[in-house]
């Protein structure tokens, strides 16, 4: 099902504005045709390949380099997430844009370093935004330290007025549990994502986020104060008081002391 197309001018050369090599992967032909139609219409796409499954996609990638893979998640055999993990091991991995009808893979997509997460049905303007992000992500920082900072600050997909945006983890000040969802609080607002607080607590522990309560997760370095109120403790983050449960109080105090000692020794 691989389709190889190249945008050319009337003299037969690749147009100056078309430079991206794109692979679209979806096991449903109508969905793949629609995705290919919109991508083919974008002036930044120089070459478009299509594949109906992961095996065919890997065959395309074996034959030549690709800048970005637009990838469905739920496919028979090797699914989109599994294929993305394979692509990450490439010497020059392509950017990944997940295109799916579901939102339950958003956190895994962010863990895999996806450039974007697009919900079906796809729209031309939404794919255009994805291509813009891909172009930005392909600019590799010249200094190794800059690249390290990028890798250490992954993004998480959030929904804003029907559009999926990528929020840097460093922008999250604290997290509040809301049933099976979590609300990410930033300096300028909050965003609801479909992932449990327990999952974020486990995945973000190495990034300095600490559990202070069954319903709250905070960036340790942003805690301005630990205060005894009535019969329990609260922490202050961005002038907001958040409760600390008894079971987490001792561990939190120890972490705050260790963090302070590390600052003194710098």
């Amino acid at each position: 099902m691989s389709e190889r197309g190249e945008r050319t001018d009337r003299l037969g050369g690749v147009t100056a504005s078309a430079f991206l090599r794109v692979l679209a992967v979806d096991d449903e032909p109508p969905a793949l045709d629609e995705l290919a139609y919109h991508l083919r219409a974008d002036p930044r796409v120089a070459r478009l390949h299509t594949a109906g499954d992961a095996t065919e996609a890997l065959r395309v990638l074996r034959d030549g380099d690709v800048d970005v893979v637009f990838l469905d998640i739920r496919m028979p055999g090797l699914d989109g997430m599994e294929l993305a993990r394979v692509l990450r091991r490439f010497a020059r991995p392509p950017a990944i844009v997940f295109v799916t009808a579901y939102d339950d893979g958003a956190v895994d997509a962010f863990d895999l370093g996806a450039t974007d997460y697009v919900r079906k049905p796809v729209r031309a303007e939404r794919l255009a935004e994805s291509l813009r992000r891909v172009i930005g992500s392909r600019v590799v920082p010249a200094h190794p330290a800059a690249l390290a900072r990028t890798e250490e600050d992954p993004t998480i997909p959030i929904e804003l007025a029907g559009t999926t945006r990528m929020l840097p983890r460093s922008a999250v000040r604290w997290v509040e549990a809301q049933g099976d969802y979590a609300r990410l609080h930033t300096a300028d607002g909050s965003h609801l994502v479909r992932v449990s607080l327990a999952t974020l607590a486990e995945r973000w522990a190495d990034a300095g986020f600490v559990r202070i309560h069954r319903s709250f997760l905070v960036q340790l370095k942003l805690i301005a104060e630990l205060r005894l109120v009535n019969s329990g403790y609260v922490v202050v983050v961005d002038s907001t008081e958040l409760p600390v449960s008894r079971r987490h109080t001792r561990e939190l105090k120890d972490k705050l002391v260790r963090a302070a000692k590390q600052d003194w020794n710098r």
Side-chain angles (χ1 to χ4, degrees):
M1 192 172 180
S2 176
E3 169 195 325
R4 300 167 187 268
E6 184 170 275
R7 188 182 308 282
T8 58
D9 61 21
R10 59 189 179 87
L11 297 179
V14 176
T15 61
S17 61
F19 57 91
L20 286 174
R21 298 161 296 182
V22 180
L23 169 61
V25 187
D26 198 311
D27 66 303
E28 297 180 357
L32 183 58
D33 289 344
E34 181 182 19
L35 179 58
Y37 172 80
H38 290 305
L39 290 171
R40 198 180 294 115
D42 193 289
R44 292 164 294 189
V45 176
R47 186 175 294 113
L48 175 67
H49 308 271
T50 63
D53 56 34
T55 300
E56 189 173 359
L58 290 171
R59 190 178 304 121
V60 172
L61 292 162
R62 179 196 62 196
D63 294 339
D65 290 335
V66 167
D67 296 305
V68 54
V69 179
F70 283 78
L71 182 58
D72 186 27
I73 292 180
R74 298 191 180 183
M75 299 187 297
L78 200 68
D79 68 21
M81 290 294 179
E82 293 166 332
L83 177 57
R85 292 186 181 94
V86 173
L87 300 184
R88 287 190 67 185
R89 296 197 291 268
F90 280 27
R92 297 178 60 185
I96 300 293
V97 174
F98 286 106
V99 183
T100 177
Y102 308 94
D103 61 3
D104 55 0
V107 173
D108 288 331
F110 124 80
D111 278 346
L112 287 169
T115 301
D116 206 352
Y117 191 93
V118 178
R119 291 287 302 277
K120 294 179 180 178
V122 296
R123 295 177 288 112
E125 59 270 24
R126 184 65 184 88
L127 290 178
E129 170 67 12
S130 288
L131 290 170
R132 184 191 65 77
R133 294 180 189 178
V134 168
I135 293 168
S137 73
R138 304 308 283 174
V139 179
V140 180
H143 196 286
L147 180 59
R149 284 195 298 272
T150 300
E151 293 173 344
E152 291 168 2
D153 190 18
T155 56
I156 184 167
I158 59 172
E159 290 290 328
L160 287 173
T163 299
T164 305
R165 303 289 185 187
M166 307 304 282
L167 178 73
R169 182 175 61 190
S170 61
V172 179
R173 319 289 284 181
W174 48 283
V175 185
E176 180 182 4
Q178 293 194 348
D180 293 332
Y181 291 73
R183 183 167 292 280
L184 310 180
H185 291 266
T186 66
D188 55 2
S190 66
H191 311 281
L192 195 65
V193 294
R194 190 175 180 179
V195 59
S196 70
L197 188 74
T199 297
L200 289 181
E202 179 181 351
R203 295 183 178 182
W204 289 6
D206 292 340
F209 283 82
V210 295
R211 191 80 173 264
I212 62 168
H213 189 276
R214 67 181 182 180
S215 298
F216 294 98
L217 181 70
V218 303
Q219 276 207 54
L220 183 69
K221 65 182 181 181
L222 297 180
I223 294 177
E225 188 177 344
L226 175 65
R227 179 191 306 159
L228 181 61
V229 177
N230 298 325
S231 59
Y233 282 89
V234 298
V235 295
V236 179
V237 179
D238 294 340
S239 301
T240 300
E241 291 187 356
L242 304 173
V244 180
S245 66
R246 290 184 179 180
R247 60 173 295 199
H248 290 101
T249 299
R250 173 57 67 85
E251 182 182 5
L252 177 61
K253 287 181 177 179
D254 290 343
K255 288 182 177 179
L256 287 170
V257 170
R258 286 199 299 270
K261 287 181 178 179
Q262 288 176 357
D263 288 339
W264 295 335
N265 294 329
R266 285 177 182 171

